[in-house]
Amino acid sequence: MKYATRSDIRNVAIIAHVDHGKTTLVDAMLKQSKVFRENQEVGSLILDSNPLEREKGITILAKNTAVAYGSVKVNLIDTPGHADFSGEVERVLNMADGCLLLVDAVDGPMPQTRFVLSKALALGLKPVVVINKIDRPYARVAQVLEEIQDLFLELATESHQLDFEVVYTNARDGQASRDPAQLGENLEPLFDAIVRTIPAPEVDLDGAFQMLVTNINYDDYRGRSAIGRILRGTTRAGDLLVHIDGDGLVWQHRASQIFAFEGLKRVPLEEARAGDIVLITGLEGVSIGDTVASVDSPEALPRLEIEQPTVKMSLGVNSSPFSGQEGKYCMSRQILARLTKELETNIALRVEETGSADEFLVSGRGELHLAILVETLRREGYEFEISRPEVITHEENDHILEPIEELVIDTSEQYVGALSEQLARRLGQMTGLHNDGSGHVRLEYRIPTRGLIGFRYTFLTITHGDGIMGSVMVGYEPWRGEMVSLRAGVLVASNTGVAVSYGLANAQERGFTFVEPGERVYEGMIVGWTRYPIDIPVNVCKEKKQTNIRASTADIAVRLTPATKLSLEECIDFLNQDELLEVTPKTLRLRKKLLKADERNRARKLANAG
């Protein structure tokens, strides 16, 4: 076997914790490599084309692009930074020979930084460390570099991995330098480091064609396409190829077209060679993890190894009295078909059928992973109901093990007491507390994954939005015991009808409401929450009785506190075990699983008796 060096290519993955500037850096690299016309308006977050990515300000899907620097083509792989989408990171890293490890000059290494770096080093990728946002007022460049060096010392398996290049950047303004005291005018120092440090692919050009599929693309014109890095040989448009699926079955196809990535475009190729990252059309039925190979030598590559999901929830047909009124797709077969299709590209997701034909068990990497799936389905016109997420446990030597996460919180010191109390109730164990002397504190915890379910909403409430948090799963530990109840009671509608001001005013004497006057409600629907430890039935449809006595103007005008409107993530956080969230394209409704009050009372008595 004879290997050749593809010195004209560098395959680079960009990895980091969420919000450390990966996509902004890719924007600057694309703009400075003259991918766009001078008068072309491209805006920011260019690769985040998914509406949900733009709305939430995070990268959800891994994406491919490429820029030219001199005679070298740099294939860039932009990856998500949130731990819930780490499955996207795991499946695309094998396309790269090196990586840019991006670290915020203020935050320093965060939990996801550790996760992605460990994966990159395990695959033997050559890292270039990029310390970004050094223009921020509280940038602590020297300390962050020391923290990065400590992280490498902890994770490196070979001595040469401790030798890495460092580049300092202000990605927002497209500046880079080897010297943090003096930023350059452009990103040339970064491009130089990539070409000089990241190894060129060593490939077998003469062997039989072989490629591992790491992504799937679909459009109405070309149908299903496979994206991956060619590991061996060459192929041309029109060649006969096979794909080998997870069961070892071999399916024959003809490669209709082959495309390379160039900026935001896909450029057709007559021939693709080992080392190239390409998109091949005409491969109907191909899935992520399959091998595409020469018809003469159908050898399968090892399939992608993805870490298992940590949380699960039920997702099923909407069973509320308002079911089928707002959604386009409401039937179980339609929901199952859509979930099955999602499995083709969302490889960290799992879907299982249950004892009920109308309910499915969906498992993912975290609350946000499942919430993005739910939001995607509702925007496509699906109507369904979901339960509160629960952790997935394992049994080993007759002991129950649960997933444990490393949690890092950066906030103001005035919130430390309230956060510590809340995390202690959630069975978190503090492993570190760092105060920078200017009022900013970093808290480090090891906490069960179930302790983080519903915590994000509480965190935002306690800190008034003045803080950031990040977590990543670090392994399994013995079950830490039962967790105390973390939420008070709710206001439950006792009648079906339309909410009116008079009924809502009475309800607001007992708590805070979720519905406005004129909204339809049904018996068993949650219309608010209370500080009392029990659920309170309220009749928000109750109207004031009319009399023949003229009321004063102050008596006529009912003053209401504006309703609290929860987002999808907040609704999921809010749920208790005996509650469901009704999801439609237009509405989110919290409800009890048992709608009738007498049924809930009977169930509570049975639970207490047991």
Side-chain angles (χ1 to χ4, degrees), residues 144-211:
V144 167
L145 180 57
E146 288 182 11
E147 292 171 8
I148 295 170
Q149 290 170 337
D150 291 342
L151 188 61
F152 270 85
L153 279 170
E154 181 182 341
L155 299 178
T157 55
E158 298 184 24
S159 59
H160 67 83
Q161 293 175 331
L162 301 175
D163 180 23
F164 54 86
E165 187 124 356
V166 181
V167 180
Y168 304 91
T169 63
N170 172 6
R172 183 187 58 191
D173 295 334
Q175 299 173 292
S177 173
R178 300 287 304 283
D179 179 7
Q182 184 64 47
L183 278 174
E185 297 180 356
N186 52 40
L187 293 176
E188 278 195 19
L190 177 61
F191 282 115
D192 287 338
I194 290 173
V195 173
R196 183 178 62 256
T197 306
I198 304 298
E202 294 283 338
V203 295
D204 176 13
L205 294 174
D206 299 325
F209 176 77
Q210 198 176 43
M211 181 183 89

Side-chain angles (χ1 to χ4, degrees), residues 327-330 334-335 337-338 376-384 583-585:
K328 185 178 179 182
Y329 309 108
C330 311
Q334 294 171 322
I335 295 172
R338 179 60 183 84
T376 302
L377 295 184
R378 75 178 291 227
R379 293 189 181 200
E380 293 175 3
Y382 288 85
E383 180 180 316
F384 49 92
V583 181
T584 79

Side-chain angles (χ1 to χ4, degrees), residues 159-439:
S159 59
H160 67 83
Q161 293 175 331
L162 301 175
D163 180 23
F164 54 86
E165 187 124 356
V166 181
V167 180
Y168 304 91
T169 63
N170 172 6
R172 183 187 58 191
D173 295 334
Q175 299 173 292
S177 173
R178 300 287 304 283
D179 179 7
Q182 184 64 47
L183 278 174
E185 297 180 356
N186 52 40
L187 293 176
E188 278 195 19
L190 177 61
F191 282 115
D192 287 338
I194 290 173
V195 173
R196 183 178 62 256
T197 306
I198 304 298
E202 294 283 338
V203 295
D204 176 13
L205 294 174
D206 299 325
F209 176 77
Q210 198 176 43
M211 181 183 89
L212 184 67
V213 180
T214 54
N215 207 349
I216 293 294
N217 181 263
Y218 181 86
D219 64 49
D220 294 334
Y221 177 66
R222 296 190 180 95
R224 198 172 180 81
S225 308
I227 298 173
R229 172 181 170 176
I230 301 176
L231 299 179
R232 189 177 68 190
T234 61
T235 189
R236 299 176 63 87
D239 281 357
L240 277 176
L241 299 175
V242 297
H243 92 258
I244 306 166
D245 64 19
D247 297 323
L249 300 177
V250 179
W251 306 84
Q252 186 169 306
H253 310 274
R254 188 172 297 278
S256 302
Q257 293 173 291
I258 302 173
F259 294 89
F261 295 92
E262 186 176 298
L264 302 185
K265 300 183 295 184
R266 292 166 183 169
V267 181
L269 298 176
E270 284 299 318
E271 182 181 79
R273 301 184 295 161
D276 289 329
I277 295 176
V278 296
L279 179 149
I280 303 177
T281 68
L283 307 179
E284 288 300 318
V286 70
S287 298
I288 292 174
D290 290 354
T291 299
V292 179
S294 164
V295 71
D296 298 324
S297 183
E299 301 173 21
L301 291 162
R303 293 188 71 81
L304 295 170
E305 293 293 332
I306 301 295
E307 291 190 5
Q308 295 300 308
T310 56
V311 295
K312 62 184 178 181
M313 69 179 183
S314 67
L315 188 154
V317 174
N318 184 13
S319 60
S320 87
F322 295 165
S323 64
Q325 298 180 12
E326 297 177 353
K328 185 178 179 182
Y329 309 108
C330 311
M331 302 175 65
S332 60
R333 61 175 178 81
Q334 294 171 322
I335 295 172
L336 178 59
R338 179 60 183 84
L339 291 174
T340 303
K341 182 180 178 183
E342 182 70 18
L343 292 174
E344 296 176 357
T345 53
N346 196 342
I347 59 174
L349 192 73
R350 301 287 185 272
V351 176
E352 304 171 46
E353 297 190 36
T354 64
S356 169
D358 293 336
E359 187 177 278
F360 311 101
L361 193 64
V362 181
S363 307
R365 285 288 184 87
E367 274 184 282
L368 185 59
H369 186 200
L370 298 177
I372 292 295
L373 170 67
V374 170
E375 182 64 28
T376 302
L377 295 184
R378 75 178 291 227
R379 293 189 181 200
E380 293 175 3
Y382 288 85
E383 180 180 316
F384 49 92
E385 64 186 23
I386 61 174
S387 69
R388 174 180 171 85
E390 299 176 358
V391 296
I392 300 173
T393 58
H394 295 297
E395 190 168 328
E396 189 175 297
N397 298 326
D398 296 328
H399 293 287
I400 297 177
L401 305 180
E402 65 175 328
I404 301 293
E405 305 207 18
E406 178 185 315
L407 172 68
V408 175
I409 293 175
D410 287 326
T411 188
S412 299
E413 59 184 7
Q414 60 185 309
Y415 306 124
V416 170
L419 287 172
S420 299
E421 180 184 355
Q422 184 65 219
L423 289 167
R425 294 175 63 190
R426 295 169 178 269
L427 305 181
Q429 298 175 350
M430 182 181 287
T431 58
L433 190 155
H434 310 280
N435 193 321
D436 66 359
S438 60

Side-chain angles (χ1 to χ4, degrees), residues 10-45:
R10 300 293 187 275
N11 294 320
V12 186
I14 304 182
I15 57 177
H17 187 80
V18 66
D19 201 33
H20 279 198
K22 299 180 307 303
T23 305
T24 303
L25 182 63
V26 174
D27 285 357
M29 296 175 78
L30 287 169
K31 292 173 181 176
Q32 293 190 19
S33 60
K34 307 299 182 185
V35 167
F36 310 109
R37 300 188 310 273
E38 290 188 8
N39 63 344
Q40 187 173 351
E41 292 288 336
V42 293
S44 60
L45 304 179

